[in-house]
Amino acid sequence: SYQVPRPQGYRVSWHANPAVELHHFGQSHPMKPWRLTLTKQLVMAYGMHHAMDLYMARAATSEEMAEFHDADYIEFLRQVIPGDVDRPEQSDNVVRFNFGDDCPVFDGLYNYCSLYAGGTVDAARKLCNNQSEIAINWSGGLHHAKKSEASGFCYVNDIVLGTLQLLRHHPRVMYIDIDVHHGDGVEQAFWSTDRVLTVSFHKYDKDNFFPGTGALEDTGPSHPLNPGAHHAINVPLNDGIDDESYIQLYHDVIGACVDTYRPGAIVLQCGADSLGCDRLGCFNLNVRAHGACVAFTKTFGLPLLVVGGGGYTPRNVSRAWAHETSILIDADQNLDPTIPETVAFRNHFGPDYSLFPPLSELRKLENKNPRPYLQNLVEAVHEQLRYIQG
Ligand code: TV1
Ligand code: CA
Ligand code: ZN
């Protein structure tokens, strides 16, 4: 039978389980796992699945999740059902583990969590076994989950679990987070080690934007005996950052971090809520600029674990992640910018049917990140890097 020729380049593996897509957080909840269906439809309509090794993600075991999380918390996650929210004997735990509006108890919650976590753990293991150079799990990237607490739509921190796998093989791992929210759960998990350098770009407004952490000065507990001191890099931004400023900033910050820290592998969280027109976000990035960050990260030629994250305007999330998949398989030059006639749910991409709609024009936000503000951020990162050894 005819074999689609594989382009030369990196071996890319895709880790997914379609069961993840079927879960619902509830009526008006902004997190829609259905965006993963839309992403997959785009990837397949463009034929990109022929250029990757496809793996059906298995569920992470409770033991695997307990490598980071408290066993008690995972056990609660395993057995809680929607009705428990109103049962007095369970309501203490519902409060203790921070379930509520952001993190509801929905049908199949444990299944959902163990599947997205399994995808990221599998992806990390493929990289460690040299069976893949770039491993993708768009259903992962749930960066707010804590050791024994759900937070911000995240229950199990798949990024921490994947990074722990990478640390078995690599002395140093760098974590990069381009979600519009601060990657607080990952930062906190590696607070006290110098073996992970975390870098998050995010909207920062202590009182008015979730989670309210990630100020420039927050670089890890600075106790002299803490090896993790200075190993959290935060890039706090204001509304409306545009393509040019963001790409420049990303190059300056990430280029300097990789040069200094010399990681053995990179974990990249590609939260698509940093795009313009996102339902929860406030940046002004277009699909190409978001993708340019992924492309730049790939140029280091290091084992790369790519995960999703936020993204609340599903048509744009799927555009970005499909485009980024094409970058990772070196096929972005070949993509027709008009979305193929054959794609399922094509109506969602109208009226333009473009992979690159002008998001920055559709909802114009003033860029409240003047050049001197950004220059100061880069300068501060350079200063912080003086404390860091590769
Ligand atoms: C149910 C129904 C929940 C409608 C939550 C927006 C909703 C939000 C909802 C929402 C919403 C947040 C807070 C307030 C904490 C709360 C995946 C007590 C229209 C990675 C998580 C954002 C982002 C949480 C996750 C945030 C990620 N914003 N409608 N909730 N305080 N929570 O502000 O980083 O993208 O908004
Ligand atoms: Ca971020
Ligand atoms: Zn987010």
Side-chain angles (χ1 to χ4, degrees):
S1 71
Y2 176 72
Q3 282 282 304
V4 176
R6 264 179 193 251
Q8 295 299 307
Y10 296 107
R11 277 172 306 168
V12 179
S13 59
W14 165 280
H15 302 264
N17 189 315
V20 176
E21 303 159 23
L22 303 174
H23 292 87
H24 296 284
F25 280 61
Q27 262 287 295
S28 57
H29 198 289
M31 178 56 105
K32 310 244 176 263
W34 180 80
R35 68 210 174 118
L36 300 166
T37 309
L38 219 47
T39 303
K40 182 177 68 185
Q41 293 305 329
L42 276 182
V43 165
M44 287 173 50
Y46 280 109
M48 292 190 251
H49 53 302
H50 297 297
M52 301 183 278
D53 294 321
L54 309 178
Y55 294 96
M56 171 78 96
R58 61 180 179 94
T61 64
S62 53
E63 290 79 13
E64 285 172 323
M65 295 189 274
E67 288 196 18
F68 170 55
H69 294 282
D70 252 7
D72 281 1
Y73 171 63
I74 295 299
E75 179 53 22
F76 174 78
L77 209 57
R78 196 182 61 74
Q79 49 84 47
V80 72
I81 53 172
D84 287 350
V85 176
D86 306 309
R87 275 191 201 98
E89 66 273 22
Q90 273 288 31
S91 60
D92 278 4
N93 281 336
V94 168
V95 172
R96 171 158 73 109
F97 296 131
N98 196 32
F99 286 73
D101 290 343
D102 276 356
C103 300
V105 179
F106 56 81
D107 283 322
L109 175 61
Y110 186 79
N111 198 38
Y112 168 76
C113 296
S114 56
L115 289 174
Y116 77 68
T120 301
V121 171
D122 281 355
R125 289 201 181 130
K126 280 285 164 227
L127 298 173
C128 290
N129 298 338
N130 284 317
Q131 290 175 318
S132 174
E133 280 128 17
I134 297 176
I136 308 172
N137 174 20
W138 292 125
S139 70
L142 300 173
H143 59 179
H144 298 305
K146 309 288 158 39
K147 189 180 165 69
S148 42
E149 203 181 286
S151 174
F153 320 162
C154 307
Y155 304 84
V156 168
N157 201 315
D158 63 293
I159 304 169
V160 172
L161 299 178
T163 303
L164 289 172
Q165 291 295 321
L166 293 171
L167 286 171
R168 295 180 178 198
H169 284 77
H170 299 283
R172 292 177 306 283
V173 174
M174 189 166 140
Y175 172 64
I176 308 173
D177 185 317
I178 61 171
D179 190 289
V180 74
H181 299 98
H182 177 223
D184 58 347
V186 183
E187 179 184 274
Q188 206 184 89
F190 299 113
W191 245 171
S192 45
T193 178
D194 54 5
R195 293 188 57 203
V196 180
L197 180 67
T198 63
V199 187
S200 175
F201 298 81
H202 45 267
K203 152 85 174 178
Y204 175 71
D205 179 342
K206 192 180 178 328
D207 301 313
N208 300 306
F209 197 75
F210 186 85
T213 51
L216 182 59
E217 305 74 34
D218 299 340
T219 62
S222 65
H223 186 281
L225 295 180
N226 174 18
H230 314 293
H231 285 71
I233 293 184
N234 282 304
V235 185
L237 299 166
N238 304 310
D239 287 0
I241 191 160
D242 62 22
D243 292 351
E244 196 199 346
S245 314
Y246 196 89
I247 294 171
Q248 178 73 53
L249 181 67
Y250 191 86
H251 280 225
D252 291 349
V253 169
I254 297 303
C257 289
V258 172
D259 274 357
T260 302
Y261 191 59
R262 298 189 308 107
I266 297 180
V267 180
L268 177 59
Q269 196 268 19
C270 297
D273 47 8
S274 43
L275 294 171
C277 298
D278 186 80
R279 180 173 162 199
L280 298 190
C282 52
F283 288 173
N284 215 10
L285 303 183
N286 289 298
V287 169
R288 283 192 203 279
H290 202 269
C293 299
V294 176
F296 182 65
T297 311
K298 181 171 169 262
T299 62
F300 300 107
L302 293 165
L304 183 59
L305 173 54
V306 178
V307 293
Y312 305 100
T313 304
R315 60 182 182 279
N316 297 332
V317 177
S318 62
R319 283 170 161 127
W321 290 350
H323 175 235
E324 286 158 18
T325 304
S326 79
I327 290 169
L328 295 168
I329 63 174
D330 278 323
D332 51 309
Q333 300 300 319
N334 311 333
L335 285 202
D336 186 340
T338 302
I339 289 173
E341 297 280 348
T342 54
V343 76
F345 312 111
R346 193 170 189 267
N347 56 314
H348 289 270
F349 302 103
D352 52 292
Y353 301 101
S354 171
L355 196 55
F356 308 105
L359 302 180
S360 58
E361 301 300 315
L362 291 168
R363 181 185 70 175
K364 266 254 171 219
L365 288 173
E366 189 193 339
N367 182 359
K368 299 215 170 113
N369 301 272
R371 190 162 295 201
Y373 176 78
L374 299 172
Q375 280 168 347
N376 177 62
L377 291 177
V378 173
E379 181 52 37
V381 170
H382 281 126
E383 266 174 44
Q384 188 178 338
L385 286 172
R386 293 201 213 133
Y387 295 98
I388 289 176
Q389 299 252 297

